[in-house]
Amino acid sequence: MGVIKKNIMAIKKYIGPEVLLAAVIKSNAYGHGIIEVVRAVSQVGVEFLCVDNVAEATAISKQFPASSKILILGGVESEDLDWVIKNNVRLALFNSSHPRTFERSSQRCGRRAKVHIKIDTGMHRLGIDANEAVEVITKINNNYKNIEIEGIWSHFADSGSRENKKYTQEQIKKFSNIVDQIEKDGIQIKYKHLCNSAGAINYPEARFNLVRTGIIIYGIFPSEYIKKKYQKKINVKPALSFKTKIVSLRDLPKGERIGYGLAYRLKKNSKIAVLPVGYKDGYGRSLSNIGEVIVRGRRCPIVGRICMRMMMVDVSSVSRVKLNDEVILLGGDGRVRIEADEVAEKMDTIPYEILARIAESVPRIYKK
């Protein structure tokens, strides 16, 4: 957890003191464990804790009644609205039916709903259409007395690449124009936030007064382009290691075939280790026969198909290997490291998925 705290401090230093930071801890804090991450980030001063849903908000509220402000980025079912408003949890307002629903719930609770109005500036996922945003914001401000517009926000479609820079700049322009217009009309909104991790790093003009940082606080750059451009400017380190131990060892002769479907044939006499980790634990089956792990400082190939709760590894190159030896799936042993970026590339996906898919049933051990 100390690494996450240091990462946040490094990001704060980079973006400057005028910009507040919201920690995105959705999806079990990107696989890191939401409760312990909240405990850590709350010690270094974040303005909001951004979650996916009511379940995550509830878990945080039970453990940390006086925690930082919670903002639910996704939708909230009508039966959960009263709890959200009573507990002062912030709501994302992103469609035209929300004001009426939120207003009724607020009247029942005797408390104003605090909302962050999401504007669709080009992501085309959630949000009020940018062309209608000023009208909608004005209507809510004037007609819904039980709704407090605490923030307005949007989301970049691709702020982490060189190829779509023009599109990103168009999103910034749309959002800026909306902010300028509502302020010209006398509507003051406390928080304006557009940037995710990549945007916060790569587009200083789009930071406004709050940025939502997710993957970067866990020490992973949001794209290879951002990593190459900024890794020497922002000192962040991966916070998570994924480890297991050898549960079985056996010597097999050349020509033997390994695992389901007999998908791998040994090219020489080999020592094969079995690890108690598989796709049920979030380790991708597509890494069969192409992934690697680290044993005693050496990279060892995965052989055969990854099973639901087990995988086989060729440890022939490791001297004095034995049962219960530690095996690193993500992380490092000295100078030898396997990072989420590398695994993602082999799986034709992104580092976000590699981290988020680690099952909650996998035990976590936290270090300060």
Side-chain angles (χ1 to χ4, degrees), residues 2 25 112 169 171 231 263 319 340 367:
I25 54 168
R112 296 182 83 195
Q169 290 171 332
Q171 286 192 263
Q231 62 182 338
S319 61
K367 296 181 180 180

Side-chain angles (χ1 to χ4, degrees), residues 307-322:
C307 313
M308 188 180 293
R309 293 302 303 270
M310 286 182 279
M311 70 174 81
M312 287 70 75
V313 175
D314 188 338
V315 292
S316 304
S317 64
V318 183
S319 61
R320 299 188 300 277
V321 65
K322 63 182 187 298

